[in-house]
């Protein structure tokens, strides 16, 4: 039997509190507790980074388990194995005995084995007249049985982390491909923009990643690449919308000319009207007809709204959700300023970069923020993160709140304006000013 009083190691090996704790834990094993030794060993192989053991120590443990006669580790079957170092060396494919001893000590220090040393330090078994084991001296596998549930949980954590990193790498690969091909398409189509600068920024992000990055470094890279991809997509979408609007205007004008060919000379004065100005009353029906044909109503606010819809910050993003001027956003949400580059936010790109930092600080997952950017638009998503930061003390789960707003935005039930106006009114008495 391996239970009983606490045993101390033979020879010069000293007793430690860790060994005592392992022996106490082994004494708390339930009589009916059992576990498949090879299933547990596979879990150990998964959990080795968290247990602080290496491959060769696992090879020695595998050899020890092979000397255990049953597949189920259980108290009733006995939990002590007593092979010699020579036998262990053979079952570890010729590992040197000195190396075997070193890894046995590592397994004991990790709390996975217990030494039950004989008076002379040898490993042997004493049997009764019936041939049953009466007392054995060697290595006890009781800590493995006692920690079986903990080991399986650690293995699950490691596997979940590995799956997360794998999916993160896949998303980074897709994002890299998107950015490279979008920039290439923009250059080939000769679309205006600083594409060389964006490509240099893209290369700096990729080349700045270490050869063996941590999960946090991969998540940060994914966030930065997402912001860059969103910025590129916004520029290309603006160009596509602008091209579509010019195409519609050309079509309308051709329709007017074809339906009223005699009024071509009468159309020319209407082109001289400045954008945003109220058209002068005129008895000439051709001018009025032409203005209506181009969608101009003569009202300056309607013309100005059409003009502003082509500028960043005042356009309608995905789902018809309207963005607001950057100055208004910063006036309503001054807390976000501290997270901008050098403590300042000068443009939408600075706000989006600050929003990524705030997202991580508030515990919002990259997937939740990416989904919000896809549904609302990148500028609106950054604006919402600034609003969430401003009201952080009143929101229990920033990630859940953002996902809720995203769902409402998909259904057309959410608008940013009331949120900004409420924050403006809340900040007004305090006299906050945005620099």
């Amino acid at each position: 039997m391996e239970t009983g009083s606490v045993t101390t190691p033979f020879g010069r090996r000293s007793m430690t509190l860790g060994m005592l704790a392992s022996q106490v834990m082994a004494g708390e094993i339930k009589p009916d507790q059992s576990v498949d030794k090879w299933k547990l060993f596979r879990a150990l192989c998964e959990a080795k980074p968290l247990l602080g053991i290496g491959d060769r120590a696992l090879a020695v443990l595998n050899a020890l388990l092979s000397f255990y006669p049953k597949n189920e580790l259980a108290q009733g079957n006995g939990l002590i194995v007593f092979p010699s170092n020579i036998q262990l060396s053979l079952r570890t494919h010729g590992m040197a005995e000195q190396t075997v001893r070193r890894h046995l000590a590592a397994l004991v220090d990790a709390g996975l084995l217990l030494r039950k040393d004989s008076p002379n330090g040898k490993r042997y078994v004493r049997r009764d007249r019936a041939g049953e084991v009466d007392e054995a001296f060697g290595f006890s596998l009781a800590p493995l049985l006692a920690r079986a549930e903990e080991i399986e949980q650690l293995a699950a954590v490691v596997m979940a982390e590995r799956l997360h990193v794998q999916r993160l790498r896949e998303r980074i690969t897709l994002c890299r491909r998107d950015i490279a091909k979008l920039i290439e398409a923009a250059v080939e189509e000769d679309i205006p923009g600083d594409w060389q600068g964006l490509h240099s920024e893209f290369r700096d992000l990729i080349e700045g990643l270490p050869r063996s990055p941590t999960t946090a470094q991969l998540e940060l890279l994914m966030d930065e690449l997402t912001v860059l991809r969103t910025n590129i997509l916004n520029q290309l979408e603006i160009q596509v919308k602008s091209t579509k609007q010019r195409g519609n205007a050309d079509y309308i004008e051709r329709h007017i000319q074809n339906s009223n060919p005699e009024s071509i000379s009468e159309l020319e004065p209407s082109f001289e009207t400045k954008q945003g100005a109220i058209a002068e009353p005129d008895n000439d029906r051709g001018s009025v007809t032409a203005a209506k044909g181009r969608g101009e109503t003569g009202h300056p606010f309607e013309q100005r709204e059409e003009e502003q819809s082509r500028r960043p910050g005042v356009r309608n993003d995905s789902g018809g959700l309207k963005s607001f001027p950057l100055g208004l956003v910063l006036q309503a949400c001054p807390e976000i300023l501290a997270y901008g580059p050098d403590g300042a936010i000068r443009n939408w790109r600075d706000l989006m970069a600050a929003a990524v930092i705030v997202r991580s600080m508030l515990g919002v997952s990259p997937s939740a923020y990416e989904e919000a950017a896809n549904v609302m638009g990148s500028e609106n998503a950054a604006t919402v993160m600034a609003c969430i930061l401003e009201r952080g003390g009143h929101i229990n789960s920033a990630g859940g709140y953002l996902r809720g707003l995203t769902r409402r935005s998909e259904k057309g039930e959410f608008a940013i304006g009331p949120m900004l106006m409420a924050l403006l009114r809340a900040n007004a008495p305090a006299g906050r000013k945005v620099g």
Side-chain angles (χ1 to χ4, degrees):
M1 298 292 292
E2 66 276 9
T3 57
S5 59
V6 172
T7 60
T8 56
F10 170 79
R12 297 181 179 179
R13 289 191 294 267
S14 59
M15 183 68 177
T16 65
L17 289 178
M19 293 180 186
L20 180 60
S22 296
Q23 293 188 37
V24 171
M25 183 185 300
E28 297 174 354
I29 297 175
K30 299 177 182 178
D32 59 343
Q33 187 175 349
S34 65
V35 65
D36 185 286
K37 65 179 182 180
W38 298 122
K39 181 180 177 181
L40 182 60
F41 181 73
R42 286 193 294 271
L44 272 169
C45 292
E46 292 287 353
K48 66 178 181 179
L50 300 181
L51 292 171
I53 54 176
D55 296 337
R56 307 202 76 185
L58 285 173
V60 173
L61 181 59
N62 180 76
L64 281 174
L65 289 173
S66 69
F67 284 101
Y68 189 77
K70 306 287 186 179
N71 279 334
E72 291 286 326
L73 285 178
Q75 186 117 9
N77 298 332
L79 292 172
I80 293 182
V81 289
F82 38 86
S84 66
N85 287 342
I86 295 177
Q87 292 173 315
L88 285 174
S89 177
L90 291 174
R91 294 207 183 181
T92 53
H93 307 287
M95 186 182 295
E97 291 186 32
Q98 183 178 1
T99 306
V100 169
R101 286 193 293 270
R102 186 171 70 251
H103 291 303
L104 285 171
L107 290 169
V108 172
D109 292 340
L112 299 176
L113 289 180
L114 277 178
R115 293 182 186 272
K116 186 176 182 184
D117 289 343
S118 64
N120 61 2
K122 301 295 182 180
R123 301 172 203 152
Y124 59 87
V125 63
R126 183 178 293 116
R127 300 180 185 274
D128 57 19
R129 292 183 178 181
E132 299 294 332
V133 175
D134 181 48
E135 190 171 16
F137 296 97
F139 291 100
S140 173
L141 303 176
L144 289 177
L145 182 58
R147 299 179 62 184
E149 184 177 352
E150 175 197 352
I151 291 169
E152 290 175 354
Q153 291 176 351
L154 291 176
V157 169
V158 172
M159 287 188 288
E161 178 70 10
R162 184 170 63 247
L163 181 60
H164 172 61
V165 170
Q166 179 184 348
R167 291 178 176 175
L168 199 57
R169 288 181 179 275
E170 290 174 353
R171 291 174 58 201
I172 288 174
T173 300
L174 292 175
C175 197
R176 288 178 60 179
R177 185 181 69 191
D178 292 345
I179 292 172
K181 289 187 178 292
L182 287 172
I183 293 176
E184 181 182 357
V187 172
E188 288 181 355
E189 296 289 339
D190 199 20
I191 296 175
D194 183 17
W195 304 113
Q196 184 63 38
L198 290 172
H199 185 266
S200 298
E201 181 181 352
F202 170 56
R203 295 310 310 168
D204 289 343
L205 289 175
I206 299 303
E207 293 169 1
L209 193 68
R211 289 181 62 86
S212 300
T214 63
T215 303
Q217 289 172 328
L218 288 174
E219 289 178 344
L220 178 60
L221 176 63
M222 184 65 214
D223 290 342
E224 292 173 335
L225 289 177
T226 300
V227 171
L228 181 59
R229 180 177 62 181
T230 304
N231 183 28
I232 294 172
L233 282 173
N234 284 341
Q235 295 188 41
L236 294 178
E237 287 174 4
I238 292 171
Q239 183 66 25
V240 169
K241 291 178 181 178
S242 176
T243 303
K244 185 177 180 181
Q245 290 171 355
R246 286 199 302 269
N248 290 339
D250 292 342
Y251 170 77
I252 293 171
E253 182 143 337
R254 288 196 302 271
H255 174 73
I256 295 171
Q257 291 176 354
N258 292 336
S259 62
N260 202 359
E262 296 181 356
S263 62
I264 294 178
S265 60
E266 297 173 352
L267 295 175
E268 293 177 357
S270 65
F271 285 107
E272 298 173 1
T273 304
K274 294 183 179 179
Q275 191 173 16
I278 302 176
E280 292 289 341
D282 196 344
N283 294 329
D284 193 340
R285 297 173 58 86
S287 298
V288 176
T289 303
K292 291 181 178 180
R294 291 194 306 276
E296 298 173 5
T297 62
H299 197 289
F301 295 106
E302 295 182 5
Q303 293 178 353
R304 189 174 301 115
E305 183 177 356
E306 181 181 355
E307 177 186 357
Q308 291 176 343
S309 67
R310 301 174 185 171
R311 298 203 307 265
V314 199
R315 69 171 184 275
N316 289 337
D317 282 341
S318 307
L321 193 61
K322 184 177 181 180
S323 296
F324 288 82
L326 179 61
L328 178 65
V329 174
L330 297 180
Q331 187 176 355
C333 310
E335 297 291 340
I336 196 76
L337 286 167
Y339 300 92
D342 301 324
I345 294 178
R346 304 172 185 84
N347 48 48
W348 281 104
R349 181 170 182 77
D350 289 350
L351 180 63
M352 288 187 282
V356 170
I357 298 174
V358 170
R359 173 204 68 70
S360 178
M361 182 188 72
L362 295 181
V364 178
S365 66
S367 61
Y369 184 70
E370 184 177 2
E371 184 181 4
N374 290 335
V375 173
M376 303 178 184
S378 58
E379 294 170 1
N380 286 327
T383 300
V384 170
M385 284 307 307
C387 293
I388 293 175
L389 174 66
E390 198 72 23
R391 299 287 292 171
H394 304 276
I395 298 174
N396 293 329
S397 172
Y401 187 70
L402 179 62
R403 287 189 184 276
L405 295 182
T406 304
R407 298 286 80 80
R408 289 175 56 193
S409 182
E410 284 181 326
K411 299 176 183 178
E413 300 174 353
F414 170 64
I416 298 179
M419 182 185 294
L420 288 175
M421 294 304 106
L423 289 173
L424 279 172
R425 288 192 295 270
N427 291 333
R432 291 180 176 176
K433 295 183 180 180
V434 179

